[in-house]
Amino acid sequence: LLQRGTIDFEPPLPPEHVKAIGAVKIGNALKVLLQLSHRFWPGDFYDAVCADATFPEVWLTPAAEAMGPHAEPPFTLVGFVSGARADRLATLPHPELARLLCAQLDAMFGTVGRPHPASQACTAHLVKDWAQAPHARGAYSYPTPSALGARGQLSAPV
């Protein structure tokens, strides 16, 4: 928000703060949440890191409840992606994002007898694109070569 100039300061921020705001970059993150009608993952599954997959991180939420032996459906599973990959995926229609996550889960948990367990269990989906959140416009800040000391400058009193 500060880099976009959507907030005005009176009096204006000192030049070193303005420079620091421009140096610290923020990237996007995208979450795809699937509502699932039944369990198809191992009982001890909580999350997985799949670095080369469409969604590098997947997890159950709330984990403690979903992992319990007496957990009741519906279950919620989250696919998470950030950075430039999130920007690319954000251009796709939401049903396509859900389909891609289901396909990834099918590849992870499918069996010969049941090759598409996630696709069969998915009853709804929700997509959260943090770049579209009006009070955030992104997810996480990240360092750049010009940002050395910038976070410290931003935390200093004005």
Side-chain angles (χ1 to χ4, degrees):
L1 290 176
L2 296 177
Q3 289 177 348
R4 294 173 189 255
T6 57
I7 297 174
D8 294 322
F9 291 90
E10 190 58 44
L13 290 173
E16 57 272 10
H17 275 69
V18 173
K19 182 179 177 188
I21 288 168
V24 175
K25 302 301 180 191
I26 188 165
N28 192 15
L30 188 75
K31 284 184 180 179
V32 177
L33 295 88
L34 301 179
Q35 180 176 292
L36 304 165
S37 62
H38 57 272
R39 183 188 303 256
F40 53 81
W41 52 88
D44 61 350
F45 175 77
Y46 161 66
D47 69 341
V49 175
C50 314
D52 292 334
T54 303
F55 294 92
E57 296 178 56
V58 295
W59 65 83
L60 291 165
T61 188
E65 292 175 23
M67 288 177 66
H70 304 294
E72 298 276 332
F75 300 103
T76 302
L77 192 138
V78 180
F80 180 81
V81 59
S82 62
R85 194 181 317 185
D87 290 334
R88 288 190 302 275
L89 288 174
T91 65
L92 297 175
H94 291 183
E96 176 62 8
L97 292 170
R99 189 198 66 74
L100 288 170
L101 180 53
C102 283
Q104 180 176 324
L105 296 169
D106 290 341
M108 291 170 65
F109 299 111
T111 63
V112 172
R114 194 171 185 188
H116 305 290
S119 296
Q120 293 169 344
C122 184
T123 58
H125 67 273
L126 175 68
V127 175
K128 289 299 197 178
D129 180 354
W130 291 4
Q132 301 305 313
H135 300 295
R137 297 288 183 206
Y140 300 104
S141 64
Y142 59 91
T144 62
S146 64
L148 184 62
R151 289 186 176 143
Q153 181 61 48
L154 290 173
S155 67
V158 178

PDB file of all heavy atoms in Angstrom, residues 58-73:
ATOM      1  N   VAL A  58       0.848 -27.927   0.674  1.00  0.00           N
ATOM      2  CA  VAL A  58      -0.545 -28.310   0.916  1.00  0.00           C
ATOM      3  C   VAL A  58      -0.665 -28.712   2.381  1.00  0.00           C
ATOM      4  O   VAL A  58       0.259 -29.304   2.945  1.00  0.00           O
ATOM      5  CB  VAL A  58      -1.034 -29.446  -0.009  1.00  0.00           C
ATOM      6  CG1 VAL A  58      -1.062 -28.996  -1.462  1.00  0.00           C
ATOM      7  CG2 VAL A  58      -0.188 -30.686   0.128  1.00  0.00           C
ATOM      8  N   TRP A  59      -1.796 -28.370   3.005  1.00  0.00           N
ATOM      9  CA  TRP A  59      -2.013 -28.762   4.396  1.00  0.00           C
ATOM     10  C   TRP A  59      -3.496 -28.852   4.710  1.00  0.00           C
ATOM     11  O   TRP A  59      -4.328 -28.271   4.019  1.00  0.00           O
ATOM     12  CB  TRP A  59      -1.307 -27.826   5.363  1.00  0.00           C
ATOM     13  CG  TRP A  59      -1.818 -26.417   5.374  1.00  0.00           C
ATOM     14  CD1 TRP A  59      -2.905 -25.937   6.077  1.00  0.00           C
ATOM     15  CD2 TRP A  59      -1.266 -25.281   4.693  1.00  0.00           C
ATOM     16  NE1 TRP A  59      -3.061 -24.584   5.857  1.00  0.00           N
ATOM     17  CE2 TRP A  59      -2.066 -24.157   5.018  1.00  0.00           C
ATOM     18  CE3 TRP A  59      -0.175 -25.103   3.848  1.00  0.00           C
ATOM     19  CZ2 TRP A  59      -1.808 -22.883   4.515  1.00  0.00           C
ATOM     20  CZ3 TRP A  59       0.072 -23.827   3.361  1.00  0.00           C
ATOM     21  CH2 TRP A  59      -0.729 -22.745   3.696  1.00  0.00           C
ATOM     22  N   LEU A  60      -3.790 -29.598   5.761  1.00  0.00           N
ATOM     23  CA  LEU A  60      -5.154 -29.717   6.265  1.00  0.00           C
ATOM     24  C   LEU A  60      -5.400 -28.614   7.288  1.00  0.00           C
ATOM     25  O   LEU A  60      -4.492 -28.228   8.013  1.00  0.00           O
ATOM     26  CB  LEU A  60      -5.359 -31.068   6.955  1.00  0.00           C
ATOM     27  CG  LEU A  60      -5.337 -32.270   6.037  1.00  0.00           C
ATOM     28  CD1 LEU A  60      -5.179 -33.538   6.855  1.00  0.00           C
ATOM     29  CD2 LEU A  60      -6.613 -32.328   5.212  1.00  0.00           C
ATOM     30  N   THR A  61      -6.620 -28.132   7.355  1.00  0.00           N
ATOM     31  CA  THR A  61      -6.939 -27.130   8.349  1.00  0.00           C
ATOM     32  C   THR A  61      -8.365 -27.316   8.850  1.00  0.00           C
ATOM     33  O   THR A  61      -9.237 -27.638   8.051  1.00  0.00           O
ATOM     34  CB  THR A  61      -6.733 -25.702   7.784  1.00  0.00           C
ATOM     35  OG1 THR A  61      -6.881 -24.770   8.835  1.00  0.00           O
ATOM     36  CG2 THR A  61      -7.695 -25.373   6.663  1.00  0.00           C
ATOM     37  N   PRO A  62      -8.651 -27.142  10.121  1.00  0.00           N
ATOM     38  CA  PRO A  62      -7.672 -27.088  11.225  1.00  0.00           C
ATOM     39  C   PRO A  62      -7.032 -28.454  11.403  1.00  0.00           C
ATOM     40  O   PRO A  62      -7.722 -29.461  11.503  1.00  0.00           O
ATOM     41  CB  PRO A  62      -8.500 -26.677  12.436  1.00  0.00           C
ATOM     42  CG  PRO A  62      -9.888 -27.088  12.116  1.00  0.00           C
ATOM     43  CD  PRO A  62     -10.021 -27.059  10.608  1.00  0.00           C
ATOM     44  N   ALA A  63      -5.721 -28.481  11.450  1.00  0.00           N
ATOM     45  CA  ALA A  63      -4.969 -29.729  11.405  1.00  0.00           C
ATOM     46  C   ALA A  63      -5.309 -30.672  12.547  1.00  0.00           C
ATOM     47  O   ALA A  63      -5.510 -31.857  12.333  1.00  0.00           O
ATOM     48  CB  ALA A  63      -3.475 -29.425  11.398  1.00  0.00           C
ATOM     49  N   ALA A  64      -5.373 -30.159  13.764  1.00  0.00           N
ATOM     50  CA  ALA A  64      -5.606 -31.032  14.916  1.00  0.00           C
ATOM     51  C   ALA A  64      -6.934 -31.771  14.778  1.00  0.00           C
ATOM     52  O   ALA A  64      -7.030 -32.957  15.088  1.00  0.00           O
ATOM     53  CB  ALA A  64      -5.577 -30.213  16.195  1.00  0.00           C
ATOM     54  N   GLU A  65      -7.943 -31.090  14.282  1.00  0.00           N
ATOM     55  CA  GLU A  65      -9.246 -31.729  14.124  1.00  0.00           C
ATOM     56  C   GLU A  65      -9.241 -32.704  12.945  1.00  0.00           C
ATOM     57  O   GLU A  65      -9.753 -33.814  13.044  1.00  0.00           O
ATOM     58  CB  GLU A  65     -10.331 -30.674  13.920  1.00  0.00           C
ATOM     59  CG  GLU A  65     -10.580 -29.833  15.151  1.00  0.00           C
ATOM     60  CD  GLU A  65     -11.571 -28.726  14.879  1.00  0.00           C
ATOM     61  OE1 GLU A  65     -12.373 -28.838  13.938  1.00  0.00           O
ATOM     62  OE2 GLU A  65     -11.533 -27.737  15.620  1.00  0.00           O
ATOM     63  N   ALA A  66      -8.682 -32.302  11.826  1.00  0.00           N
ATOM     64  CA  ALA A  66      -8.709 -33.136  10.622  1.00  0.00           C
ATOM     65  C   ALA A  66      -7.882 -34.403  10.777  1.00  0.00           C
ATOM     66  O   ALA A  66      -8.141 -35.399  10.115  1.00  0.00           O
ATOM     67  CB  ALA A  66      -8.226 -32.337   9.420  1.00  0.00           C
ATOM     68  N   MET A  67      -6.860 -34.361  11.635  1.00  0.00           N
ATOM     69  CA  MET A  67      -5.999 -35.529  11.823  1.00  0.00           C
ATOM     70  C   MET A  67      -6.597 -36.523  12.812  1.00  0.00           C
ATOM     71  O   MET A  67      -6.166 -37.662  12.873  1.00  0.00           O
ATOM     72  CB  MET A  67      -4.615 -35.084  12.311  1.00  0.00           C
ATOM     73  CG  MET A  67      -3.799 -34.397  11.236  1.00  0.00           C
ATOM     74  SD  MET A  67      -2.222 -33.812  11.862  1.00  0.00           S
ATOM     75  CE  MET A  67      -1.391 -35.341  12.253  1.00  0.00           C
ATOM     76  N   GLY A  68      -7.569 -36.101  13.603  1.00  0.00           N
ATOM     77  CA  GLY A  68      -8.136 -36.976  14.617  1.00  0.00           C
ATOM     78  C   GLY A  68      -8.845 -38.175  14.008  1.00  0.00           C
ATOM     79  O   GLY A  68      -9.433 -38.081  12.929  1.00  0.00           O
ATOM     80  N   PRO A  69      -8.797 -39.316  14.693  1.00  0.00           N
ATOM     81  CA  PRO A  69      -9.409 -40.530  14.144  1.00  0.00           C
ATOM     82  C   PRO A  69     -10.928 -40.429  14.023  1.00  0.00           C
ATOM     83  O   PRO A  69     -11.531 -41.167  13.243  1.00  0.00           O
ATOM     84  CB  PRO A  69      -8.993 -41.619  15.131  1.00  0.00           C
ATOM     85  CG  PRO A  69      -8.690 -40.901  16.397  1.00  0.00           C
ATOM     86  CD  PRO A  69      -8.183 -39.544  15.992  1.00  0.00           C
ATOM     87  N   HIS A  70     -11.547 -39.540  14.783  1.00  0.00           N
ATOM     88  CA  HIS A  70     -13.004 -39.418  14.752  1.00  0.00           C
ATOM     89  C   HIS A  70     -13.450 -38.132  14.049  1.00  0.00           C
ATOM     90  O   HIS A  70     -14.570 -37.673  14.258  1.00  0.00           O
ATOM     91  CB  HIS A  70     -13.568 -39.477  16.172  1.00  0.00           C
ATOM     92  CG  HIS A  70     -13.155 -40.728  16.899  1.00  0.00           C
ATOM     93  ND1 HIS A  70     -13.582 -41.986  16.511  1.00  0.00           N
ATOM     94  CD2 HIS A  70     -12.325 -40.919  17.941  1.00  0.00           C
ATOM     95  CE1 HIS A  70     -13.044 -42.892  17.306  1.00  0.00           C
ATOM     96  NE2 HIS A  70     -12.272 -42.277  18.179  1.00  0.00           N
ATOM     97  N   ALA A  71     -12.565 -37.572  13.251  1.00  0.00           N
ATOM     98  CA  ALA A  71     -12.895 -36.326  12.542  1.00  0.00           C
ATOM     99  C   ALA A  71     -14.079 -36.536  11.616  1.00  0.00           C
ATOM    100  O   ALA A  71     -14.206 -37.578  10.973  1.00  0.00           O
ATOM    101  CB  ALA A  71     -11.687 -35.832  11.765  1.00  0.00           C
ATOM    102  N   GLU A  72     -14.921 -35.542  11.577  1.00  0.00           N
ATOM    103  CA  GLU A  72     -16.132 -35.598  10.745  1.00  0.00           C
ATOM    104  C   GLU A  72     -15.963 -34.684   9.534  1.00  0.00           C
ATOM    105  O   GLU A  72     -15.415 -33.597   9.651  1.00  0.00           O
ATOM    106  CB  GLU A  72     -17.333 -35.112  11.564  1.00  0.00           C
ATOM    107  CG  GLU A  72     -17.629 -35.974  12.783  1.00  0.00           C
ATOM    108  CD  GLU A  72     -18.465 -37.178  12.437  1.00  0.00           C
ATOM    109  OE1 GLU A  72     -19.242 -37.106  11.464  1.00  0.00           O
ATOM    110  OE2 GLU A  72     -18.339 -38.198  13.143  1.00  0.00           O
ATOM    111  N   PRO A  73     -16.445 -35.090   8.369  1.00  0.00           N
ATOM    112  CA  PRO A  73     -16.413 -34.201   7.205  1.00  0.00           C
ATOM    113  C   PRO A  73     -17.415 -33.071   7.388  1.00  0.00           C
ATOM    114  O   PRO A  73     -18.286 -33.185   8.243  1.00  0.00           O
ATOM    115  CB  PRO A  73     -16.823 -35.119   6.057  1.00  0.00           C
ATOM    116  CG  PRO A  73     -17.422 -36.331   6.661  1.00  0.00           C
ATOM    117  CD  PRO A  73     -16.986 -36.396   8.090  1.00  0.00           C
TER     118      PRO A  73
END
